[in-house]
Amino acid sequence: SDLIVAVNEAQMDGGKSLCGKKILLTQKGSDVQVVVTVVDMCPGKYCNFGDLDLSQAAFKKFAGLGVGVLQLQWNFL
């Protein structure tokens, strides 16, 4: 139920430095916005530069889990 996210390894800046920071997610073509908290790093083999790995609760704010990949804009608050 937590609105959390893992940031891609390339942007994580050495691991724990971004943990606890807030990110604003905005769905492209929509006014849906969600604030999530960084809690982990997504390894490079799973997440490319710019990618985020959302918790199920955060993902469900935008679409059903069966969608797979979302097109979101994001920035740190």
Side-chain angles (χ1 to χ4, degrees):
S1 64
D2 293 334
L3 298 176
I4 56 177
V5 66
V7 173
N8 65 83
E9 187 173 7
Q11 290 180 278
M12 192 59 172
D13 193 28
K16 303 282 185 202
S17 64
L18 296 180
C19 287
K21 294 198 182 281
K22 304 285 185 191
I23 292 178
L24 176 65
L25 303 171
T26 305
Q27 189 169 26
K28 293 181 180 180
S30 169
D31 59 353
V32 177
Q33 294 185 318
V34 176
V35 175
V36 293
T37 303
V38 177
V39 297
D40 204 356
M41 178 180 70
C42 183
K45 67 181 181 177
Y46 301 112
C47 293
N48 295 317
F49 186 91
D51 289 350
L52 300 173
D53 187 14
L54 305 179
S55 66
Q56 288 186 1
F59 195 99
K60 287 179 186 178
K61 296 289 184 180
F62 299 103
L65 296 178
V67 170
V69 177
L70 298 171
Q71 296 298 315
L72 302 175
Q73 296 173 329
W74 62 274
N75 61 299
F76 291 103
L77 296 177

